[in-house]
Amino acid sequence: MMSLDVTPGLGARLLAGDLGALARAATLVENGDPVGRAVVEGIYGRTGGADVVGVTGPPGAGKSTLIDALIDELRQRGRRVAAILIDPSSPISGGAVLGDRIRMSRWDRDPDVFIRSMAARGHPGGLASTTAGLIHLFDAAGFDPIIVETVGVGQGEIEVAHLAATTLLLQVPGLGDGVQAIKAGILEIGDIVAVNKADLPGAEELVGDLSMMVTGNERPAGWSTPILLTNATTGEGVPAVVDTIEAHRRYLDTSETGRLRRESAARSEVFGLLRQELERESPLHLQNKASLWHELIDDVVERKRTPSAVVATLLGRDGATCR
Amino acid sequence: MAESQSNPRTHPIRVLIAKPGLDGHDRGAKVMARALRDAGFEVVYTGLFQTPEMIAAAALQEDVDVVGLSILSGAHMALFPRIIDALRERGVDDVLIVAGGTIPDDDVQPLLDLGVSAVFGPGTSLSEAVRFIRQHAPVRHDVP
């Protein structure tokens, strides 16, 4: 409780441009610390203006290298850029090696670029559970856009699309045939698709395959998913990607889709926090009822109760057993 | 683990592993990063050829608890004071600084005097380094 007294100071320093305060607030949010939550609550009213751009795609597609090139282009356009780079945590030790910064170290001396690595800490879906909180902090600190790099994704990690205004999906030639492109999931969430490593054989064909597929996708009116060719290493095609991100932002600002996206982001964040609270709080609530908890789990193992009946009990919906 | 009881933590220790200067060998740094990961730490690896300013900026942005400097070029006596100054200039004054690589015995005491907390020379066991970091990483109960 003591430390809460200092919170206004931390939030005020963050708003005044203190990058150390921003970094420390990010740590507190990431750790689920009540002080971090209080900082976000203090600054939340000043957020919502920054563009949030999700960058996703399979491991090795060149996400980090492309983000480095995007930062270069955005800096030339006078933008202050933050990037949140997410890597997986070890399911065994809980540790992580966060190596995405390696491709971006030329920005370490630029005060208008802030890069933060984040471990997913067991959260599925390609992000960490507290990524939205970090976005709010960077937004309040005056960074715009905020780029979020997901872990290298397979076919189902689509959470970034709920969080970002614009989702940029990276694909590379040589990962599979045309059937991969018609599977549901990842391909449907790209507002913009970039075929990276444009110098590799098969890049042009992949653009053709993808163009055919995305025209069939059900997308909101007024925006058809562009398929762009990029070479992140040389920077080729990168200005066009930034132009397209800006065009998508203008589209969102003037269409019903933009409002729906903001609603979806808010819903997704509230549900995420709710899930986090349930995970954190349930065992605590049960601390003085540890035997009941074991009993319930034993009952599920022995098929005396169903998992959903136990949930009802925990939520107090069966009226009696939990009290 | 006894030390985790005396050092109560609810979140992973964050460590920056940096390669200052011009030596191009990072096998040792990568082995250490991997060992720290397996010990449950979150390791931010910066890659090769980092200047003192780059290391300090990364430590600040990542808000790490520990900065690990890996050096094989022999330039540690020139680079480490500049790194420590760059960290202090940015207000990063509550991190544990450790070093590894080829550092002659004669240089160890001067580095400790500068503010480096431990020097892990060739032959240091990984578990020894892990144990030292776990025991000595700052525990932050308060907000600056």
Side-chain angles (χ1 to χ4, degrees):
Chain A
M1 283 309 285
M2 275 282 286
S3 51
L4 283 176
D5 298 339
V6 205
T7 307
L10 191 63
R13 281 168 48 205
L14 179 161
L15 291 171
D18 181 338
L19 299 178
L22 174 60
R24 183 58 50 88
T27 304
L28 293 167
V29 168
E30 205 181 354
N31 291 340
D33 191 298
V35 177
R37 207 170 308 145
V39 172
V40 173
E41 266 158 39
I43 53 103
Y44 191 74
R46 311 178 65 144
T47 63
D51 214 359
V52 180
V53 179
V55 176
T56 191
K63 293 184 291 298
S64 303
T65 309
L66 184 73
I67 289 173
D68 177 62
L70 288 173
I71 294 173
D72 191 24
E73 180 64 24
L74 288 158
R75 288 299 296 130
Q76 288 179 40
R77 299 184 189 199
R79 311 279 294 265
R80 291 186 85 209
V81 192
I84 302 171
L85 316 173
I86 299 152
D87 268 325
S89 297
S90 158
I92 312 292
S93 72
V97 173
L98 312 172
D100 292 326
R101 260 195 109 85
I102 295 178
R103 320 234 179 271
M104 301 171 209
S105 60
R106 63 172 155 154
W107 304 109
D108 280 344
R109 278 162 294 178
D110 184 342
D112 292 321
V113 176
F114 196 104
I115 295 168
R116 179 69 176 221
S117 313
M118 227 184 163
R121 297 191 179 175
H123 185 75
L127 301 177
S129 65
T130 52
T131 304
L134 262 68
I135 290 172
H136 299 321
L137 296 177
F138 290 131
D139 187 346
F143 291 94
D144 177 17
I146 299 156
I147 301 173
V148 179
E149 176 182 345
T150 71
V151 303
V153 298
Q155 295 170 320
E157 295 93 338
I158 58 160
E159 197 179 341
V160 68
H162 296 299
L163 211 69
T166 302
T167 300
L168 171 64
L169 172 68
L170 253 69
Q171 297 280 286
V172 278
L175 290 185
D177 58 20
V179 181
Q180 297 301 330
I182 53 176
K183 290 185 179 171
I186 195 80
L187 201 61
E188 293 173 87
I189 67 162
D191 300 303
I192 303 166
V193 178
V195 172
N196 194 32
K197 308 194 184 181
D199 54 323
L200 291 185
E204 305 274 353
E205 292 89 322
L206 182 57
V207 171
D209 285 350
L210 292 170
S211 305
M212 196 182 67
M213 289 330 303
V214 298
T215 43
N217 280 354
E218 198 167 310
R219 300 295 300 179
W223 184 262
S224 55
T225 310
I227 317 282
L228 306 170
L229 267 173
T230 58
N231 184 335
T233 311
T234 62
E236 192 188 325
V238 172
V241 173
V242 174
D243 288 343
T244 312
I245 291 169
E246 289 175 352
H248 188 251
R249 172 66 194 230
R250 284 193 297 276
Y251 159 70
L252 291 179
D253 285 345
T254 53
S255 69
E256 175 71 359
T257 313
R259 199 182 54 80
L260 293 174
R261 284 282 171 94
R262 286 190 292 278
E263 274 177 28
S264 151
R267 203 162 33 233
S268 158
E269 186 174 357
V270 169
F271 273 123
L273 288 172
L274 187 62
R275 193 170 50 225
Q276 215 179 321
E277 284 301 301
L278 284 172
E279 280 168 6
R280 200 199 328 260
E281 294 294 325
S282 304
L284 291 180
H285 281 318
L286 289 163
Q287 248 170 18
N288 50 0
K289 303 176 197 159
S291 59
L292 171 65
W293 175 245
H294 288 304
E295 192 185 304
L296 291 170
I297 295 300
D298 282 347
D299 283 357
V300 173
V301 174
E302 288 162 23
R303 301 299 190 269
K304 289 181 188 162
R305 289 174 201 252
T306 63
S308 55
V310 169
V311 171
T313 301
L314 292 172
L315 292 173
R317 282 196 191 140
D318 58 356
T321 351
C322 201
R323 305 285 144 187
Chain B
M1 278 171 269
E3 57 265 32
S4 65
Q5 275 162 13
S6 60
N7 261 8
R9 289 176 198 281
T10 54
H11 55 86
I13 296 172
R14 280 172 76 86
V15 184
L16 185 81
I17 297 281
K19 285 284 306 174
L22 294 177
D23 85 78
H25 303 278
D26 66 348
R27 192 182 164 87
K30 284 177 175 160
V31 168
M32 182 51 75
R34 164 86 199 263
L36 296 174
R37 182 201 77 184
D38 291 345
F41 300 179
E42 289 179 357
V43 184
V44 180
Y45 180 54
T46 64
L48 298 165
F49 312 128
Q50 303 291 298
T51 66
E53 292 73 24
M54 289 159 97
I55 292 167
L60 175 106
Q61 292 178 4
E62 299 290 353
D63 191 29
V64 288
D65 306 296
V66 182
V67 174
L69 302 169
S70 166
I71 193 157
L72 301 166
S73 66
H76 46 274
M77 295 311 287
L79 285 171
F80 284 13
R82 289 176 49 206
I83 293 166
I84 289 166
D85 284 348
L87 286 166
R88 286 189 185 135
E89 262 168 44
R90 285 169 179 75
V92 183
D93 45 18
D94 57 352
V95 289
L96 180 79
I97 301 171
V98 296
T102 48
I103 294 172
D105 289 345
D106 286 350
D107 290 345
V108 171
Q109 191 56 49
L111 290 178
L112 297 178
D113 293 342
L114 271 175
V116 175
S117 293
V119 176
F120 304 122
T124 310
S125 77
L126 290 170
S127 58
E128 198 180 313
V130 166
R131 196 177 324 118
F132 182 90
I133 292 172
R134 186 176 276 134
Q135 275 175 347
H136 293 90
V139 180
R140 292 154 169 167
H141 288 298
D142 57 342
V143 181

PDB file of all heavy atoms in Angstrom, chain A residues 116-149:
ATOM      1  N   ARG A 116      11.082  -2.284 -26.436  1.00  0.00           N
ATOM      2  CA  ARG A 116      10.924  -3.065 -25.220  1.00  0.00           C
ATOM      3  C   ARG A 116      10.650  -4.527 -25.599  1.00  0.00           C
ATOM      4  O   ARG A 116       9.734  -4.810 -26.364  1.00  0.00           O
ATOM      5  CB  ARG A 116       9.754  -2.509 -24.421  1.00  0.00           C
ATOM      6  CG  ARG A 116       9.458  -3.238 -23.151  1.00  0.00           C
ATOM      7  CD  ARG A 116      10.535  -3.042 -22.089  1.00  0.00           C
ATOM      8  NE  ARG A 116      10.102  -3.700 -20.866  1.00  0.00           N
ATOM      9  CZ  ARG A 116      10.252  -3.187 -19.651  1.00  0.00           C
ATOM     10  NH1 ARG A 116      10.864  -2.032 -19.488  1.00  0.00           N
ATOM     11  NH2 ARG A 116       9.817  -3.849 -18.613  1.00  0.00           N
ATOM     12  N   SER A 117      11.439  -5.421 -25.031  1.00  0.00           N
ATOM     13  CA  SER A 117      11.238  -6.854 -25.262  1.00  0.00           C
ATOM     14  C   SER A 117      10.331  -7.404 -24.175  1.00  0.00           C
ATOM     15  O   SER A 117      10.391  -6.967 -23.035  1.00  0.00           O
ATOM     16  CB  SER A 117      12.577  -7.601 -25.212  1.00  0.00           C
ATOM     17  OG  SER A 117      13.552  -6.933 -25.974  1.00  0.00           O
ATOM     18  N   MET A 118       9.537  -8.366 -24.545  1.00  0.00           N
ATOM     19  CA  MET A 118       8.560  -8.918 -23.616  1.00  0.00           C
ATOM     20  C   MET A 118       8.497 -10.429 -23.788  1.00  0.00           C
ATOM     21  O   MET A 118       8.425 -10.913 -24.918  1.00  0.00           O
ATOM     22  CB  MET A 118       7.201  -8.338 -24.021  1.00  0.00           C
ATOM     23  CG  MET A 118       6.377  -7.810 -22.921  1.00  0.00           C
ATOM     24  SD  MET A 118       4.760  -7.262 -23.497  1.00  0.00           S
ATOM     25  CE  MET A 118       4.020  -7.235 -21.879  1.00  0.00           C
ATOM     26  N   ALA A 119       8.512 -11.158 -22.682  1.00  0.00           N
ATOM     27  CA  ALA A 119       8.316 -12.605 -22.765  1.00  0.00           C
ATOM     28  C   ALA A 119       6.825 -12.903 -22.651  1.00  0.00           C
ATOM     29  O   ALA A 119       6.111 -12.236 -21.909  1.00  0.00           O
ATOM     30  CB  ALA A 119       9.085 -13.300 -21.649  1.00  0.00           C
ATOM     31  N   ALA A 120       6.366 -13.892 -23.398  1.00  0.00           N
ATOM     32  CA  ALA A 120       4.922 -14.187 -23.404  1.00  0.00           C
ATOM     33  C   ALA A 120       4.445 -14.716 -22.054  1.00  0.00           C
ATOM     34  O   ALA A 120       3.259 -14.637 -21.731  1.00  0.00           O
ATOM     35  CB  ALA A 120       4.596 -15.180 -24.523  1.00  0.00           C
ATOM     36  N   ARG A 121       5.373 -15.243 -21.243  1.00  0.00           N
ATOM     37  CA  ARG A 121       5.057 -15.764 -19.902  1.00  0.00           C
ATOM     38  C   ARG A 121       3.867 -16.698 -19.910  1.00  0.00           C
ATOM     39  O   ARG A 121       2.956 -16.593 -19.073  1.00  0.00           O
ATOM     40  CB  ARG A 121       4.834 -14.606 -18.907  1.00  0.00           C
ATOM     41  CG  ARG A 121       6.092 -13.769 -18.736  1.00  0.00           C
ATOM     42  CD  ARG A 121       5.999 -12.789 -17.579  1.00  0.00           C
ATOM     43  NE  ARG A 121       7.254 -12.037 -17.464  1.00  0.00           N
ATOM     44  CZ  ARG A 121       7.443 -11.043 -16.606  1.00  0.00           C
ATOM     45  NH1 ARG A 121       6.483 -10.679 -15.782  1.00  0.00           N
ATOM     46  NH2 ARG A 121       8.595 -10.411 -16.564  1.00  0.00           N
ATOM     47  N   GLY A 122       3.872 -17.609 -20.875  1.00  0.00           N
ATOM     48  CA  GLY A 122       2.874 -18.670 -20.888  1.00  0.00           C
ATOM     49  C   GLY A 122       1.541 -18.292 -21.509  1.00  0.00           C
ATOM     50  O   GLY A 122       0.659 -19.122 -21.648  1.00  0.00           O
ATOM     51  N   HIS A 123       1.413 -17.034 -21.905  1.00  0.00           N
ATOM     52  CA  HIS A 123       0.146 -16.608 -22.506  1.00  0.00           C
ATOM     53  C   HIS A 123       0.068 -17.120 -23.942  1.00  0.00           C
ATOM     54  O   HIS A 123       0.999 -16.931 -24.719  1.00  0.00           O
ATOM     55  CB  HIS A 123       0.058 -15.077 -22.482  1.00  0.00           C
ATOM     56  CG  HIS A 123      -1.242 -14.539 -22.966  1.00  0.00           C
ATOM     57  ND1 HIS A 123      -2.393 -14.590 -22.217  1.00  0.00           N
ATOM     58  CD2 HIS A 123      -1.583 -13.958 -24.142  1.00  0.00           C
ATOM     59  CE1 HIS A 123      -3.384 -14.046 -22.916  1.00  0.00           C
ATOM     60  NE2 HIS A 123      -2.921 -13.649 -24.069  1.00  0.00           N
ATOM     61  N   PRO A 124      -1.027 -17.780 -24.308  1.00  0.00           N
ATOM     62  CA  PRO A 124      -1.143 -18.247 -25.692  1.00  0.00           C
ATOM     63  C   PRO A 124      -1.617 -17.103 -26.588  1.00  0.00           C
ATOM     64  O   PRO A 124      -2.000 -16.053 -26.098  1.00  0.00           O
ATOM     65  CB  PRO A 124      -2.217 -19.327 -25.599  1.00  0.00           C
ATOM     66  CG  PRO A 124      -3.083 -18.887 -24.462  1.00  0.00           C
ATOM     67  CD  PRO A 124      -2.218 -18.108 -23.508  1.00  0.00           C
ATOM     68  N   GLY A 125      -1.570 -17.298 -27.881  1.00  0.00           N
ATOM     69  CA  GLY A 125      -2.170 -16.308 -28.777  1.00  0.00           C
ATOM     70  C   GLY A 125      -1.169 -15.374 -29.425  1.00  0.00           C
ATOM     71  O   GLY A 125      -1.534 -14.531 -30.230  1.00  0.00           O
ATOM     72  N   GLY A 126       0.119 -15.500 -29.074  1.00  0.00           N
ATOM     73  CA  GLY A 126       1.145 -14.721 -29.772  1.00  0.00           C
ATOM     74  C   GLY A 126       1.555 -13.443 -29.069  1.00  0.00           C
ATOM     75  O   GLY A 126       2.488 -12.772 -29.486  1.00  0.00           O
ATOM     76  N   LEU A 127       0.846 -13.073 -27.987  1.00  0.00           N
ATOM     77  CA  LEU A 127       1.189 -11.869 -27.227  1.00  0.00           C
ATOM     78  C   LEU A 127       1.446 -12.256 -25.774  1.00  0.00           C
ATOM     79  O   LEU A 127       1.346 -13.421 -25.414  1.00  0.00           O
ATOM     80  CB  LEU A 127       0.016 -10.868 -27.269  1.00  0.00           C
ATOM     81  CG  LEU A 127      -0.445 -10.371 -28.640  1.00  0.00           C
ATOM     82  CD1 LEU A 127      -1.658  -9.464 -28.465  1.00  0.00           C
ATOM     83  CD2 LEU A 127       0.665  -9.614 -29.343  1.00  0.00           C
ATOM     84  N   ALA A 128       1.773 -11.279 -24.931  1.00  0.00           N
ATOM     85  CA  ALA A 128       1.772 -11.497 -23.484  1.00  0.00           C
ATOM     86  C   ALA A 128       0.455 -10.939 -22.953  1.00  0.00           C
ATOM     87  O   ALA A 128      -0.175 -10.102 -23.597  1.00  0.00           O
ATOM     88  CB  ALA A 128       2.954 -10.778 -22.839  1.00  0.00           C
ATOM     89  N   SER A 129       0.045 -11.385 -21.766  1.00  0.00           N
ATOM     90  CA  SER A 129      -1.276 -10.968 -21.272  1.00  0.00           C
ATOM     91  C   SER A 129      -1.305  -9.473 -20.958  1.00  0.00           C
ATOM     92  O   SER A 129      -2.359  -8.855 -20.938  1.00  0.00           O
ATOM     93  CB  SER A 129      -1.664 -11.780 -20.034  1.00  0.00           C
ATOM     94  OG  SER A 129      -0.783 -11.491 -18.982  1.00  0.00           O
ATOM     95  N   THR A 130      -0.132  -8.864 -20.728  1.00  0.00           N
ATOM     96  CA  THR A 130      -0.109  -7.458 -20.335  1.00  0.00           C
ATOM     97  C   THR A 130       0.305  -6.525 -21.475  1.00  0.00           C
ATOM     98  O   THR A 130       0.592  -5.352 -21.243  1.00  0.00           O
ATOM     99  CB  THR A 130       0.858  -7.262 -19.154  1.00  0.00           C
ATOM    100  OG1 THR A 130       2.107  -7.850 -19.506  1.00  0.00           O
ATOM    101  CG2 THR A 130       0.341  -7.930 -17.896  1.00  0.00           C
ATOM    102  N   THR A 131       0.326  -7.041 -22.710  1.00  0.00           N
ATOM    103  CA  THR A 131       0.755  -6.213 -23.840  1.00  0.00           C
ATOM    104  C   THR A 131      -0.110  -4.960 -23.987  1.00  0.00           C
ATOM    105  O   THR A 131       0.405  -3.867 -24.245  1.00  0.00           O
ATOM    106  CB  THR A 131       0.739  -7.035 -25.139  1.00  0.00           C
ATOM    107  OG1 THR A 131       1.567  -8.187 -24.965  1.00  0.00           O
ATOM    108  CG2 THR A 131       1.277  -6.230 -26.320  1.00  0.00           C
ATOM    109  N   ALA A 132      -1.410  -5.100 -23.795  1.00  0.00           N
ATOM    110  CA  ALA A 132      -2.298  -3.944 -23.947  1.00  0.00           C
ATOM    111  C   ALA A 132      -1.926  -2.841 -22.951  1.00  0.00           C
ATOM    112  O   ALA A 132      -1.924  -1.657 -23.295  1.00  0.00           O
ATOM    113  CB  ALA A 132      -3.753  -4.367 -23.748  1.00  0.00           C
ATOM    114  N   GLY A 133      -1.580  -3.230 -21.729  1.00  0.00           N
ATOM    115  CA  GLY A 133      -1.183  -2.252 -20.722  1.00  0.00           C
ATOM    116  C   GLY A 133       0.057  -1.482 -21.144  1.00  0.00           C
ATOM    117  O   GLY A 133       0.146  -0.258 -20.975  1.00  0.00           O
ATOM    118  N   LEU A 134       1.040  -2.182 -21.730  1.00  0.00           N
ATOM    119  CA  LEU A 134       2.249  -1.503 -22.194  1.00  0.00           C
ATOM    120  C   LEU A 134       1.937  -0.532 -23.333  1.00  0.00           C
ATOM    121  O   LEU A 134       2.506   0.558 -23.409  1.00  0.00           O
ATOM    122  CB  LEU A 134       3.316  -2.515 -22.642  1.00  0.00           C
ATOM    123  CG  LEU A 134       4.387  -2.804 -21.580  1.00  0.00           C
ATOM    124  CD1 LEU A 134       3.783  -3.541 -20.398  1.00  0.00           C
ATOM    125  CD2 LEU A 134       5.545  -3.579 -22.159  1.00  0.00           C
ATOM    126  N   ILE A 135       1.009  -0.930 -24.191  1.00  0.00           N
ATOM    127  CA  ILE A 135       0.604  -0.036 -25.288  1.00  0.00           C
ATOM    128  C   ILE A 135       0.071   1.281 -24.717  1.00  0.00           C
ATOM    129  O   ILE A 135       0.430   2.364 -25.188  1.00  0.00           O
ATOM    130  CB  ILE A 135      -0.453  -0.727 -26.185  1.00  0.00           C
ATOM    131  CG1 ILE A 135       0.197  -1.862 -26.984  1.00  0.00           C
ATOM    132  CG2 ILE A 135      -1.129   0.285 -27.117  1.00  0.00           C
ATOM    133  CD1 ILE A 135      -0.789  -2.727 -27.755  1.00  0.00           C
ATOM    134  N   HIS A 136      -0.760   1.196 -23.677  1.00  0.00           N
ATOM    135  CA  HIS A 136      -1.297   2.422 -23.080  1.00  0.00           C
ATOM    136  C   HIS A 136      -0.168   3.328 -22.555  1.00  0.00           C
ATOM    137  O   HIS A 136      -0.213   4.539 -22.713  1.00  0.00           O
ATOM    138  CB  HIS A 136      -2.262   2.091 -21.938  1.00  0.00           C
ATOM    139  CG  HIS A 136      -3.444   1.283 -22.369  1.00  0.00           C
ATOM    140  ND1 HIS A 136      -4.093   1.489 -23.562  1.00  0.00           N
ATOM    141  CD2 HIS A 136      -4.093   0.247 -21.777  1.00  0.00           C
ATOM    142  CE1 HIS A 136      -5.091   0.623 -23.675  1.00  0.00           C
ATOM    143  NE2 HIS A 136      -5.108  -0.138 -22.611  1.00  0.00           N
ATOM    144  N   LEU A 137       0.831   2.703 -21.920  1.00  0.00           N
ATOM    145  CA  LEU A 137       1.940   3.501 -21.371  1.00  0.00           C
ATOM    146  C   LEU A 137       2.689   4.236 -22.474  1.00  0.00           C
ATOM    147  O   LEU A 137       2.987   5.425 -22.372  1.00  0.00           O
ATOM    148  CB  LEU A 137       2.916   2.595 -20.605  1.00  0.00           C
ATOM    149  CG  LEU A 137       2.397   1.876 -19.364  1.00  0.00           C
ATOM    150  CD1 LEU A 137       3.493   0.973 -18.793  1.00  0.00           C
ATOM    151  CD2 LEU A 137       1.932   2.865 -18.307  1.00  0.00           C
ATOM    152  N   PHE A 138       3.022   3.516 -23.554  1.00  0.00           N
ATOM    153  CA  PHE A 138       3.770   4.132 -24.654  1.00  0.00           C
ATOM    154  C   PHE A 138       2.935   5.224 -25.331  1.00  0.00           C
ATOM    155  O   PHE A 138       3.452   6.259 -25.742  1.00  0.00           O
ATOM    156  CB  PHE A 138       4.202   3.080 -25.681  1.00  0.00           C
ATOM    157  CG  PHE A 138       5.281   2.158 -25.168  1.00  0.00           C
ATOM    158  CD1 PHE A 138       5.176   0.792 -25.282  1.00  0.00           C
ATOM    159  CD2 PHE A 138       6.410   2.682 -24.560  1.00  0.00           C
ATOM    160  CE1 PHE A 138       6.169  -0.053 -24.806  1.00  0.00           C
ATOM    161  CE2 PHE A 138       7.416   1.844 -24.083  1.00  0.00           C
ATOM    162  CZ  PHE A 138       7.297   0.480 -24.205  1.00  0.00           C
ATOM    163  N   ASP A 139       1.648   4.974 -25.436  1.00  0.00           N
ATOM    164  CA  ASP A 139       0.722   5.946 -26.019  1.00  0.00           C
ATOM    165  C   ASP A 139       0.747   7.237 -25.177  1.00  0.00           C
ATOM    166  O   ASP A 139       0.972   8.341 -25.705  1.00  0.00           O
ATOM    167  CB  ASP A 139      -0.675   5.306 -26.033  1.00  0.00           C
ATOM    168  CG  ASP A 139      -1.725   6.131 -26.755  1.00  0.00           C
ATOM    169  OD1 ASP A 139      -1.467   7.317 -27.017  1.00  0.00           O
ATOM    170  OD2 ASP A 139      -2.802   5.586 -27.049  1.00  0.00           O
ATOM    171  N   ALA A 140       0.602   7.087 -23.870  1.00  0.00           N
ATOM    172  CA  ALA A 140       0.595   8.260 -22.980  1.00  0.00           C
ATOM    173  C   ALA A 140       1.924   9.000 -23.015  1.00  0.00           C
ATOM    174  O   ALA A 140       1.978  10.215 -22.853  1.00  0.00           O
ATOM    175  CB  ALA A 140       0.272   7.828 -21.557  1.00  0.00           C
ATOM    176  N   ALA A 141       3.019   8.252 -23.257  1.00  0.00           N
ATOM    177  CA  ALA A 141       4.345   8.875 -23.286  1.00  0.00           C
ATOM    178  C   ALA A 141       4.621   9.545 -24.631  1.00  0.00           C
ATOM    179  O   ALA A 141       5.719  10.073 -24.841  1.00  0.00           O
ATOM    180  CB  ALA A 141       5.420   7.834 -22.977  1.00  0.00           C
ATOM    181  N   GLY A 142       3.661   9.505 -25.541  1.00  0.00           N
ATOM    182  CA  GLY A 142       3.790  10.258 -26.781  1.00  0.00           C
ATOM    183  C   GLY A 142       4.373   9.503 -27.954  1.00  0.00           C
ATOM    184  O   GLY A 142       4.809  10.120 -28.925  1.00  0.00           O
ATOM    185  N   PHE A 143       4.415   8.192 -27.868  1.00  0.00           N
ATOM    186  CA  PHE A 143       4.900   7.411 -29.007  1.00  0.00           C
ATOM    187  C   PHE A 143       3.737   7.061 -29.929  1.00  0.00           C
ATOM    188  O   PHE A 143       2.669   6.649 -29.485  1.00  0.00           O
ATOM    189  CB  PHE A 143       5.628   6.145 -28.535  1.00  0.00           C
ATOM    190  CG  PHE A 143       6.938   6.445 -27.855  1.00  0.00           C
ATOM    191  CD1 PHE A 143       7.009   6.573 -26.485  1.00  0.00           C
ATOM    192  CD2 PHE A 143       8.085   6.653 -28.608  1.00  0.00           C
ATOM    193  CE1 PHE A 143       8.204   6.888 -25.855  1.00  0.00           C
ATOM    194  CE2 PHE A 143       9.284   6.969 -27.989  1.00  0.00           C
ATOM    195  CZ  PHE A 143       9.356   7.078 -26.610  1.00  0.00           C
ATOM    196  N   ASP A 144       3.953   7.235 -31.221  1.00  0.00           N
ATOM    197  CA  ASP A 144       2.914   6.998 -32.220  1.00  0.00           C
ATOM    198  C   ASP A 144       3.583   6.896 -33.590  1.00  0.00           C
ATOM    199  O   ASP A 144       4.139   7.891 -34.046  1.00  0.00           O
ATOM    200  CB  ASP A 144       1.895   8.154 -32.196  1.00  0.00           C
ATOM    201  CG  ASP A 144       0.808   8.015 -33.258  1.00  0.00           C
ATOM    202  OD1 ASP A 144       0.643   6.898 -33.785  1.00  0.00           O
ATOM    203  OD2 ASP A 144       0.143   9.014 -33.548  1.00  0.00           O
ATOM    204  N   PRO A 145       3.579   5.738 -34.198  1.00  0.00           N
ATOM    205  CA  PRO A 145       2.841   4.541 -33.829  1.00  0.00           C
ATOM    206  C   PRO A 145       3.558   3.670 -32.804  1.00  0.00           C
ATOM    207  O   PRO A 145       4.722   3.893 -32.493  1.00  0.00           O
ATOM    208  CB  PRO A 145       2.766   3.782 -35.169  1.00  0.00           C
ATOM    209  CG  PRO A 145       4.037   4.144 -35.862  1.00  0.00           C
ATOM    210  CD  PRO A 145       4.295   5.581 -35.479  1.00  0.00           C
ATOM    211  N   ILE A 146       2.798   2.684 -32.312  1.00  0.00           N
ATOM    212  CA  ILE A 146       3.348   1.646 -31.452  1.00  0.00           C
ATOM    213  C   ILE A 146       3.262   0.337 -32.236  1.00  0.00           C
ATOM    214  O   ILE A 146       2.174  -0.081 -32.635  1.00  0.00           O
ATOM    215  CB  ILE A 146       2.549   1.551 -30.134  1.00  0.00           C
ATOM    216  CG1 ILE A 146       2.654   2.885 -29.394  1.00  0.00           C
ATOM    217  CG2 ILE A 146       3.047   0.394 -29.278  1.00  0.00           C
ATOM    218  CD1 ILE A 146       1.529   3.159 -28.437  1.00  0.00           C
ATOM    219  N   ILE A 147       4.424  -0.240 -32.473  1.00  0.00           N
ATOM    220  CA  ILE A 147       4.477  -1.474 -33.267  1.00  0.00           C
ATOM    221  C   ILE A 147       4.568  -2.658 -32.314  1.00  0.00           C
ATOM    222  O   ILE A 147       5.355  -2.637 -31.367  1.00  0.00           O
ATOM    223  CB  ILE A 147       5.696  -1.456 -34.205  1.00  0.00           C
ATOM    224  CG1 ILE A 147       5.618  -0.249 -35.155  1.00  0.00           C
ATOM    225  CG2 ILE A 147       5.796  -2.752 -35.000  1.00  0.00           C
ATOM    226  CD1 ILE A 147       6.860  -0.057 -36.016  1.00  0.00           C
ATOM    227  N   VAL A 148       3.746  -3.655 -32.533  1.00  0.00           N
ATOM    228  CA  VAL A 148       3.766  -4.851 -31.677  1.00  0.00           C
ATOM    229  C   VAL A 148       4.169  -6.047 -32.522  1.00  0.00           C
ATOM    230  O   VAL A 148       3.473  -6.397 -33.483  1.00  0.00           O
ATOM    231  CB  VAL A 148       2.376  -5.107 -31.045  1.00  0.00           C
ATOM    232  CG1 VAL A 148       2.414  -6.365 -30.178  1.00  0.00           C
ATOM    233  CG2 VAL A 148       1.931  -3.909 -30.221  1.00  0.00           C
ATOM    234  N   GLU A 149       5.304  -6.644 -32.196  1.00  0.00           N
ATOM    235  CA  GLU A 149       5.738  -7.839 -32.911  1.00  0.00           C
ATOM    236  C   GLU A 149       5.333  -9.073 -32.122  1.00  0.00           C
ATOM    237  O   GLU A 149       5.729  -9.240 -30.971  1.00  0.00           O
ATOM    238  CB  GLU A 149       7.267  -7.836 -33.099  1.00  0.00           C
ATOM    239  CG  GLU A 149       7.757  -9.120 -33.756  1.00  0.00           C
ATOM    240  CD  GLU A 149       9.275  -9.196 -33.923  1.00  0.00           C
ATOM    241  OE1 GLU A 149       9.954  -8.165 -33.795  1.00  0.00           O
ATOM    242  OE2 GLU A 149       9.758 -10.307 -34.177  1.00  0.00           O
TER     243      GLU A 149
END
